[in-house]
């Protein structure tokens, strides 16, 4: 904001916000750097940025508004979309006959002002505010949307036509289709989907109970009750979802799978739908797949140190296999896509065979598995090998045929990336052998095996604490604390010579912005390299325990140890690590 320096200095001195000596020193520094006295005072901690904003507002004659405790009407608030409000720190807070009043941190942000003017088609009256006010209003977006959606759903649920059916008199497909097109049902389902996207849910569970319909969202790996609807709304909601995903409306005795796609807030989201007959009716689960998700790096996924280096080295190879293991929902596909994104250069041909295609990636040939017409992972992989690929990604190795084809592809000059369902990195080798793979072929092809889980990340506000001697002793029975401490020192997280009782750990601190103290998730990993020592165990068909023991001797951090590393780094908590890592 263009404020005359003389006026600014005079007002700061008159108001007693800074001393004469501090202003004089700031003036000298501003002359040297070619900046403003106000900015220098803020940088030096002599003046808060909010105080400077108030001073500038007063000098320029722009009203300053305090919105720290003000509740804003949702209709006014929603005139500016939440992503724009967050990006530009601009919020609509009052609509009057003379125009729309918007509060900003920077009234010189002409781009944001112009956007709001075009969107609402009325005069914009700019006001200055402080950071805390903007934070409070941004928080109201989520709360208002939750309340708004809850109200819409409850109102519409009351007006749904009840459907009575029994095993002897099932509802006809025609009646179900009519029910699925009923306006309250359409609105409820649309609202549920939009609400789940806003909540950043990964799954929606719609579960019929004896007297009610329970809706739950999985957020950051934990299921939360979202809302309870009348039992009568279940047939209509299930029918509507079946219509969207092109499933048979009158088939209620067998499980069905389908998918559909919607666009919300300029974001394309795919829904993978699964229905399952239960005692009280059909349970529906929808997995949300955000097509624009991407732009990750291996570091942002949680890889670090020796594990990160081993993974990068495996990706530099032009032949061999890179396997990622873990249970469903542990982020395996995201890790593979991140690796593909790094490998996706102009000089290589990358092809994938997946079920489903979770993210669409430019310049990569992605094939969707369709078992009902004979396009299985094995058949798809066989066809891919005739397409002259350099790098192949197989969504999952489920059977001996796919395992054999994958190994042959890796032997014949391809880099193969894939996933397996095992609990640990070492457990992938016996699983491979169970599928019929020969040990001598495994040691010739597999470069690296990554096992992973997802833990919830702590929010910015958290409580620090230190372990007691007895806690350290108990922990040392489950993990090699010396190895974890060595990694923390090597990566500069704690200074040299630190003991475990001096390593700070953290607990969640729930707040208005972060209700549970956690937000988002990060991976904990173990990265097993195929070294000569590991090969000697694989060739004699050693059990997973022996292979893991050898990998640990060679410096591999287990998932539990990597979790402790991240807990000491302030990313998560020890409790969260033990929640996801089975002993």
């Amino acid at each position: 904001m263009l404020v005359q320096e003389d006026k600014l200095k005079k007002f700061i001195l008159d108001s007693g916000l800074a001393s004469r000596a501090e202003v004089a020193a700031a003036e000298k520094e501003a002359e040297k750097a070619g900046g403003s006295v106000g900015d220098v005072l803020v940088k030096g901690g002599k003046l808060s940025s909010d105080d400077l904003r108030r001073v500038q507002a007063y000098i320029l004659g722009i009203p300053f508004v305090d919105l720290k405790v003000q509740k804003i009407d949702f209709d006014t608030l929603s005139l500016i979309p939440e992503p724009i409000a967050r990006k530009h720190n601009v919020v609509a807070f009052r609509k009057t006959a003379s125009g729309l009043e918007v509060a900003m941190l920077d009234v010189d942000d002409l781009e944001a002002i112009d956007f709001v003017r075009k969107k609402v088609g009325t005069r914009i009256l700019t006001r200055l505010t402080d950071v805390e006010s903007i934070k409070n209003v941004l928080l109201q977006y989520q709360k208002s949307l939750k309340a708004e959606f809850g109200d819409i759903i409850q109102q519409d649920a009351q007006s749904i036509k009840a459907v009575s059916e029994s095993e002897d008199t099932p509802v006809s497909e025609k009646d179900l289709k009519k029910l699925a097109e009923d306006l309250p049902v359409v609105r409820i389902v649309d609202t549920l989907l939009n609400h789940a996207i806003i909540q950043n849910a990964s799954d929606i569970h719609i579960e019929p109970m004896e007297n009610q319909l329970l809706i739950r969202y999985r957020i950051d790996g934990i299921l939360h009750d979202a809302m309870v609807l009348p039992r009568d709304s279940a047939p209509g909601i299930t029918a509507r979802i079946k219509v969207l995903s092109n499933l048979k409306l009158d088939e209620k005795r067998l499980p069905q799978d389908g998918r559909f796609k919607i666009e919300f807030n300029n974001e394309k989201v795919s829904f993978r739908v699964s229905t399952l007959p239960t005692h009280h009716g059909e349970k529906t689960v929808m997995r949300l797949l955000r097509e624009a998700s991407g732009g990750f790096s291996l570091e942002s996924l949680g890889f670090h140190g020796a594990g990160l280096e081993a993974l990068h080295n495996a990706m530099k190879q032009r032949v061999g296999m890179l396997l990622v293991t873990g249970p469903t929902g542990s982020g395996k596909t995201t890790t593979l896509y991140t690796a593909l994104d790094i490998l996706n250069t102009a000089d290589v041909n990358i092809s994938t065979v997946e079920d489903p295609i979770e993210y669409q990636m430019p310049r990569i040939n992605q094939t969707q598995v369709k078992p009902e017409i004979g396009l299985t992972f094995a058949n798809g992989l066989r066809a891919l090998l005739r397409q002259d690929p350099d790098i192949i990604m197989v969504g999952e190795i489920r059977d001996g045929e796919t395992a054999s084809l994958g190994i042959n592809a890796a032997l014949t000059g391809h880099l193969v990336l894939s996933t397996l369902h095992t609990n640990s990195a070492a457990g992938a080798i016996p699983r491979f052998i169970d599928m019929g793979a020969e040990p001598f072929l495994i040691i010739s092809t597999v470069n690296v095996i990554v096992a992973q889980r997802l833990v919830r990340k702590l929010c910015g506000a958290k409580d620090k604490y230190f372990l007691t001697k007895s806690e350290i002793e108990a922990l040392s029975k489950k993990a090699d604390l010396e190895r974890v401490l060595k990694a923390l020192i090597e990566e500069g997280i704690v200074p040299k010579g630190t003991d475990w009782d001096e390593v700070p750990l953290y607990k969640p601190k729930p707040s208005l912005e972060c209700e549970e103290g956690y937000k988002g998730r990060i991976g904990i990993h173990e990265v097993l390299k195929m070294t000569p020592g590991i090969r000697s165990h694989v060739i004699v068909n050693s059990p997973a325990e022996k292979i893991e023991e050898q990998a640990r001797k060679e410096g591999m951090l287990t998932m539990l140890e990597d979790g402790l590393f991240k807990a000491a780094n302030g990313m998560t908590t020890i409790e969260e690590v033990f929640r996801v890592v089975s002993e």
Side-chain angles (χ1 to χ4, degrees):
M1 282 172 278
L2 294 170
V3 179
Q4 288 180 8
E5 286 291 290
D6 290 344
K7 283 186 180 178
L8 184 65
K9 281 185 290 183
K10 187 175 185 305
F11 195 89
I12 289 170
L13 287 169
D14 289 348
S15 59
L17 290 168
S19 68
R20 199 168 289 279
E22 286 169 343
V23 171
E27 200 173 358
K28 281 180 187 173
E29 198 176 324
E31 278 175 22
K32 276 185 203 169
S36 160
V37 171
D39 292 338
V40 172
L41 286 169
V42 169
K43 196 176 172 186
K46 310 296 182 192
L47 191 69
S48 75
S49 54
D50 286 339
D51 280 340
L52 177 62
R53 233 174 252 117
R54 283 175 186 270
V55 169
Q56 291 170 329
Y58 184 83
I59 294 168
L60 293 170
I62 299 169
F64 190 95
V65 292
D66 186 342
L67 305 174
K68 289 188 194 73
V69 291
Q70 192 168 320
K71 178 83 176 72
I72 296 164
D73 177 60
F74 184 64
D75 290 337
T76 304
L77 185 67
S78 57
L79 288 170
I80 300 177
E82 199 252 6
I84 298 293
R86 193 173 291 279
K87 185 182 174 186
H88 292 277
N89 289 307
V90 53
V91 292
F93 69 95
R94 190 183 297 125
K95 201 169 183 185
T96 62
S98 51
L100 178 69
E101 291 187 57
V102 299
M104 311 177 72
L105 293 182
D106 178 10
V107 292
D108 290 339
D109 190 346
L110 300 178
E111 183 191 350
I113 295 167
D114 195 44
F115 171 84
V116 176
R117 183 169 37 245
K118 282 177 183 168
K119 188 178 183 301
V120 299
T122 187
R123 189 177 171 215
I124 303 301
L125 307 168
T126 55
R127 309 286 184 250
L128 265 172
T129 192
D130 52 30
V131 173
E132 285 304 313
S133 292
I134 291 284
K135 275 186 183 173
N136 170 55
V137 179
L138 289 175
L139 198 59
Q140 287 183 42
Y141 270 97
Q142 298 300 331
K143 294 197 169 172
S144 299
L145 284 165
K146 284 182 198 173
E148 184 87 355
F149 283 159
D151 291 346
I152 290 170
I153 286 173
Q154 293 302 341
Q155 287 160 17
D156 286 336
Q158 304 306 320
S159 56
I160 287 178
K161 297 171 188 128
V163 175
S164 59
E165 65 172 341
S166 65
E167 285 188 26
D168 302 325
T169 57
V171 182
S172 69
E173 186 176 4
K174 187 181 174 186
D175 287 343
L176 283 168
K177 195 161 188 183
K178 197 174 174 187
L179 185 62
E181 288 164 0
D182 194 21
L183 191 59
V185 170
V186 172
R187 282 185 54 172
I188 283 181
V189 172
D190 286 354
T191 306
L192 279 176
L193 301 181
N194 295 346
H195 191 196
I197 295 168
I198 286 164
Q199 294 273 75
N200 211 21
S202 60
D203 301 83
I204 305 171
H205 289 238
I206 301 171
E207 304 170 33
M209 305 286 171
E210 190 175 2
N211 300 311
Q212 60 192 31
L213 182 69
L214 177 63
I215 313 285
R216 299 198 285 172
Y217 292 152
R218 189 178 292 281
I219 301 165
D220 291 339
I222 308 285
L223 272 172
H224 299 267
D225 286 8
M227 55 201 72
V228 174
L229 301 180
R231 180 71 180 82
D232 293 344
S233 60
I237 289 171
T238 305
R240 175 65 187 162
I241 292 165
K242 283 183 174 182
V243 165
L244 288 172
S245 43
N246 209 17
L247 300 178
K248 290 178 184 172
L249 284 173
D250 54 348
E251 179 55 85
K252 299 183 178 186
R253 297 165 303 163
L254 293 172
Q256 294 189 73
D257 293 308
R259 52 181 55 86
F260 64 92
K261 191 185 293 186
I262 68 168
E263 194 166 319
F264 179 74
N265 278 352
N266 297 321
E267 180 186 16
K268 284 182 181 171
V269 181
S270 292
F271 289 81
R272 199 163 85 202
V273 180
S274 167
T275 66
L276 180 75
T278 67
H279 182 62
H280 293 298
E282 283 183 285
K283 178 187 173 186
T284 305
V285 176
M286 291 181 275
R287 163 69 55 93
L288 282 72
L289 304 166
R290 287 167 171 78
E291 293 190 359
S293 289
F296 296 114
S297 64
L298 292 171
E299 290 84 352
S300 70
L301 296 182
F303 289 97
H304 61 94
L308 177 64
E309 192 180 333
L311 196 49
H312 273 304
N313 287 338
M315 285 162 56
K316 283 176 190 167
Q317 307 299 317
R318 281 291 165 252
V319 294
M321 292 187 89
L322 193 162
L323 297 173
V324 183
T325 78
T328 304
S330 60
K332 300 186 297 294
T333 310
T334 302
T335 299
L336 284 189
Y337 274 118
T338 304
L340 283 184
D341 198 28
I342 295 166
L343 293 166
N344 189 8
T345 55
D347 59 340
V348 292
N349 174 17
I350 302 178
S351 294
T352 76
V353 53
E354 306 170 57
D355 184 26
I357 295 170
E358 295 198 10
Y359 310 132
Q360 291 178 4
M361 299 187 77
R363 298 177 66 94
I364 290 180
N365 312 292
Q366 296 172 272
T367 302
Q368 168 73 52
V369 165
K370 288 177 184 165
E372 65 275 11
I373 59 167
L375 180 52
T376 60
F377 274 118
N379 288 341
L381 180 50
R382 198 177 277 113
L384 279 193
L385 291 171
R386 295 193 286 271
Q387 290 273 316
D388 184 35
D390 298 295
I391 298 165
I392 298 167
M393 194 264 264
V394 184
E396 187 187 334
I397 293 176
R398 292 178 181 170
D399 52 49
E401 191 180 4
T402 313
S404 171
L405 283 164
I407 286 172
N408 284 331
L411 282 170
T412 54
H414 304 90
L415 179 63
V416 179
L417 286 73
S418 192
T419 70
L420 274 175
H421 281 278
T422 63
N423 285 331
S424 66
I429 291 166
R431 175 85 182 101
F432 238 9
I433 292 168
D434 284 347
M435 286 183 188
E438 295 288 351
F440 73 91
L441 289 176
I442 293 173
I443 64 172
S444 308
T445 53
V446 176
N447 296 332
V448 153
I449 304 170
V450 177
Q452 67 179 65
R453 301 286 187 280
L454 293 175
V455 291
R456 290 182 293 168
K457 285 199 296 187
L458 283 165
C459 296
K462 50 201 170 193
D463 290 324
K464 188 193 285 190
Y465 74 101
F466 295 90
L467 292 173
T468 62
K469 288 271 191 288
S470 59
E471 286 171 334
I472 293 168
E473 206 173 299
L475 211 50
S476 65
K477 290 173 185 171
K478 296 175 181 176
D480 187 337
L481 294 186
E482 286 307 308
R483 191 189 287 117
V484 179
L485 192 58
K486 187 183 170 195
L488 287 165
I489 291 166
E490 281 175 2
E491 295 188 39
I493 310 299
V494 296
K496 206 171 181 179
T498 305
D499 286 324
W500 263 106
D501 56 359
E502 301 166 307
V503 174
L505 293 164
Y506 301 88
K507 287 192 182 293
K509 189 177 183 180
S511 64
L512 279 172
E513 291 173 56
C514 196
E515 288 176 23
E516 293 186 12
Y518 294 101
K519 191 158 191 180
R521 289 189 289 175
I522 194 165
I524 57 173
H525 311 91
E526 55 189 36
V527 182
L528 187 149
K529 287 190 292 183
M530 189 60 73
T531 61
I534 301 292
R535 286 191 181 100
S536 64
H537 279 282
V538 176
I539 203 74
V540 295
N541 211 347
S542 292
E545 293 77 25
K546 290 278 184 191
I547 296 169
E548 184 171 304
E549 193 182 311
Q550 178 64 32
R552 292 181 72 182
K553 276 182 195 169
E554 294 176 9
M556 180 187 86
L557 285 178
T558 63
M559 268 184 291
L560 178 57
E561 288 160 359
D562 190 43
L564 294 176
F565 175 95
K566 290 183 170 80
N569 204 357
M571 294 180 184
T572 188
T573 62
I574 288 181
E575 292 77 11
E576 184 65 12
V577 173
F578 277 108
R579 182 183 70 80
V580 301
V581 177
S582 53
E583 292 189 38

